[in-house]
Amino acid sequence: MLKNWMIFFVMAFLSADLAQDMTPSALKAMGAPNDPLVEVAWNRYYDHAGIGDICRRLAKAHPDLVKLGSIGTSVQGRDLYLLTVTNFKNSAADRKPAMYIDGNIHSNEIQGSEVALYTAWYVAESYGHVKWITELLDAKTFYIVPTINPDARDHYMHSGNTPHSPRSGMLPRDDDGDGRVDEDPPDDLDGDGHIVRMRRANAHGRWKADPHDPRLLIEADADEKGAYDFLDWEGLDNDGDGLVNEDGPGYYDPNRNWGWMWQPDHVQHGSDQYPFSIPENRAVADFVMAHPNICGAQSYHNAGGMILRGPGVEEDQSCSAADQLVYENIGTVGEQMLPGYKYMVLWKDLYSVYGGELDWFYGARGIYTFSNELWTSFDYFRAQGEAKGWFGRQQDVYRFDELLLFGEGIVPWHRFDHPQFGAIEIGGIKKSWTRTAPSFLLEDMCHRNMAFTLFHAHHLPQVSIDSVTTTALGEGLSQIDAIIVNSRMIPTRSDHEITDKFTRPDWVLLRDAEVIAGFIVQDPLMNHTIEQKRRPERINLDAIPAMMTVQVRWIVAGKARGTIVFDSRKGGVVTRTVP
């Protein structure tokens, strides 16, 4: 009994102490929840356990808005967490137009998970406080999978890695063809937790220390002697084949393994054995196939400040002019919302990708999909003009570290006796820098990219039965006309779906009436119609176009009556009673 009382007083003391640490806000800052039920620090990165903790807290705090599930498990048995976010009280989640969001398909491109999580947190905490967000969750569903590569995400965070490793997942692969797998990864030679670069003094080398910042190596001029050889990333020749770091975890590329325009490894490096040979990718595809209400998608990568859309290869001609216009209407607004980012077509403006995720979403499912390359060198000093490269000029990286990170992002050069190379020096950029936003810019990046994705989600189809009119025709017949409206920039079916016929048409049904004939009214002013002779009570429509209307008509026996139901896989379900 005494022990229980002691525990009670200790817990009460800790709670009071914690409450003192949480200073209440005096003035609400615009654009952020002021008093969230779930406190999350958005100036740091979370491993799989941290992601799971945030997901569970959100689902517990907002049971009517957030449901936690899993779309499957990773190679090493970790859950691929799924947050379904919508107003569950007003209608079923799978009958609303839906936005799918994921991040971290490449394991070193971690911040996509934080953007995805931030999205779930922000909309749940803003529901009921911000009218625009409330209306969005009333009408739309979000399926959010923060990481689709959790095994290698944890490896990247907890093991020695460069900013660029591992990009793969954790399926064992023999990268160097020696019959062994993953036997020669990078090595943390000095045990400081960072895999950085190696250099060796050489009076005839072609590299020298930058006179403005001796931590940085630059190439000597053509007529100038250098002082160093620039070696590989920190590591050893573990398997004795004369190469360093050539067989780490993986290697395959999870973003080259999707079943649209897939090519084998000798054409597209990293594609792996066959489409969807990677279990995490298969789990995503199975989930999407089981949720035909998904009509928009967003994946988050890094880096370079890009708003990418397909096609990934020039020979893919599936994206029609009508679908291109939808992409351009959304992507160009994204450039306003994301300073330093550019709206780009993958194959034309960047490089070719066979078997990419965003191409499968659009090519195989007709889903308008963007892939944002998070973090841009524009954010170093936000100077006018173009950003310099994906990660910026090295001089800008080091100067930013000096002025704003106070040297935290760079390991200074220091001596190490290498068993193969002899006396060398180790130093350079840490893995948590250049690809990923620094802490004070992370929340800004999360919010702006979330806002772009919410803009996309807002413009998923929003259909209503705008008006219903009835006319007595005499001789025991009546006419019923209904106008179906889509008040958003995305049609209920993409032009690609309609052309290739891989999803069913939209339906407009008249129930509880004896239907004699059904028509699509092509020109109401001239009364031009197309009769649907088979099953006239259920009129098939290609789509409700963006920001447009479609008129349908039925001839029924007796008095005009019944219930009109618009039923679209991607446009949702809407009903209206005939007056």
Side-chain angles (χ1 to χ4, degrees), residues 63-65 67 86-93 96 127 137-138:
D64 295 329
L65 298 174
K67 305 293 184 188
T86 188
N87 177 4
F88 285 94
K89 283 187 168 182
N90 69 347
S91 61
K96 300 176 185 179
Y127 187 88
L137 291 194
D138 285 345

Side-chain angles (χ1 to χ4, degrees), residues 46-242:
Y46 296 93
D47 62 8
H48 186 257
I51 289 171
D53 178 62
I54 294 170
C55 289
R56 284 185 287 271
R57 290 162 58 203
L58 280 173
K60 182 178 179 181
H62 301 281
D64 295 329
L65 298 174
V66 181
K67 305 293 184 188
L68 174 59
S70 173
I71 66 169
T73 55
S74 66
V75 171
Q76 296 179 344
R78 292 179 176 87
D79 273 311
L80 303 174
Y81 291 121
L82 165 71
L83 291 172
T84 303
V85 187
T86 188
N87 177 4
F88 285 94
K89 283 187 168 182
N90 69 347
S91 61
D94 61 359
R95 298 306 289 160
K96 300 176 185 179
M99 186 83 190
Y100 171 87
I101 302 170
D102 72 29
N104 195 203
I105 189 172
H106 292 133
S107 53
N108 61 325
E109 301 183 6
I110 58 173
Q111 66 261 53
S113 298
E114 276 65 34
V115 180
L117 274 176
Y118 181 89
T119 303
W121 172 82
Y122 187 92
V123 298
E125 295 289 353
S126 299
Y127 187 88
H129 303 286
V130 179
K131 182 175 183 289
W132 193 89
I133 298 292
T134 303
E135 292 175 349
L136 184 66
L137 291 194
D138 285 345
K140 308 291 167 60
T141 295
F142 290 86
Y143 299 119
I144 300 174
V145 184
T147 174
I148 57 174
N149 196 348
D151 298 341
R153 177 186 182 85
D154 272 21
H155 185 283
Y156 172 82
M157 289 186 167
H158 295 300
S159 302
N161 278 293
T162 77
H164 314 298
S165 70
R167 180 180 170 89
S168 181
M170 299 301 287
L171 279 170
R173 292 290 184 264
D174 178 12
D175 302 335
D176 55 357
D178 65 356
R180 292 178 289 173
V181 296
D182 304 346
E183 79 283 353
D184 197 2
D187 301 282
D188 183 7
L189 298 178
D190 55 2
D192 66 352
H194 306 292
I195 302 291
V196 289
R197 300 304 296 265
M198 301 184 293
R199 73 181 186 185
R200 181 175 58 184
N202 181 359
H204 302 289
R206 297 307 305 143
W207 296 85
K208 67 176 184 177
D210 187 334
H212 300 290
D213 189 335
R215 301 176 302 166
L216 173 62
L217 284 188
I218 59 174
E219 285 192 83
D221 292 337
D223 60 350
E224 180 184 23
K225 289 187 67 175
Y228 296 98
D229 291 326
F230 212 174
L231 304 177
D232 207 328
W233 292 96
E234 193 176 347
L236 303 170
D237 176 14
N238 291 293
D239 53 1
D241 63 356

Side-chain angles (χ1 to χ4, degrees), residues 192-343:
D192 66 352
H194 306 292
I195 302 291
V196 289
R197 300 304 296 265
M198 301 184 293
R199 73 181 186 185
R200 181 175 58 184
N202 181 359
H204 302 289
R206 297 307 305 143
W207 296 85
K208 67 176 184 177
D210 187 334
H212 300 290
D213 189 335
R215 301 176 302 166
L216 173 62
L217 284 188
I218 59 174
E219 285 192 83
D221 292 337
D223 60 350
E224 180 184 23
K225 289 187 67 175
Y228 296 98
D229 291 326
F230 212 174
L231 304 177
D232 207 328
W233 292 96
E234 193 176 347
L236 303 170
D237 176 14
N238 291 293
D239 53 1
D241 63 356
L243 300 173
V244 174
N245 303 343
E246 87 285 358
D247 197 349
Y251 178 85
Y252 49 88
D253 190 327
N255 200 36
R256 307 293 187 270
N257 181 245
W258 298 75
W260 182 264
M261 304 300 289
W262 182 88
Q263 290 289 335
D265 193 72
H266 68 274
V267 175
Q268 175 62 75
H269 180 55
S271 63
D272 208 47
Q273 300 162 341
Y274 50 85
F276 298 119
S277 62
I278 299 168
E280 294 90 344
N281 290 1
R282 178 77 264 171
V284 173
D286 287 346
F287 177 81
V288 172
M289 294 293 288
H291 292 80
N293 58 320
I294 296 172
C295 45
Q298 175 71 54
S299 64
Y300 291 115
H301 295 235
N302 76 44
M306 308 171 204
I307 305 167
L308 295 171
R309 71 150 172 99
V313 291
E314 184 176 8
E315 54 265 42
D316 183 359
Q317 299 296 316
S318 60
C319 193
S320 68
D323 287 346
Q324 289 176 37
L325 183 61
V326 174
Y327 276 120
E328 287 164 11
N329 287 337
I330 297 170
T332 51
V333 173
E335 289 185 325
Q336 292 180 278
M337 304 169 79
L338 294 161
Y341 285 60
K342 288 187 175 181
Y343 163 63

Side-chain angles (χ1 to χ4, degrees), residues 189-190 196-198 234 411-414 416 424-428:
L189 298 178
D190 55 2
V196 289
R197 300 304 296 265
M198 301 184 293
E234 193 176 347
V411 175
W413 292 106
H414 56 285
F416 182 81
I424 64 167
E425 292 179 83
I426 299 173

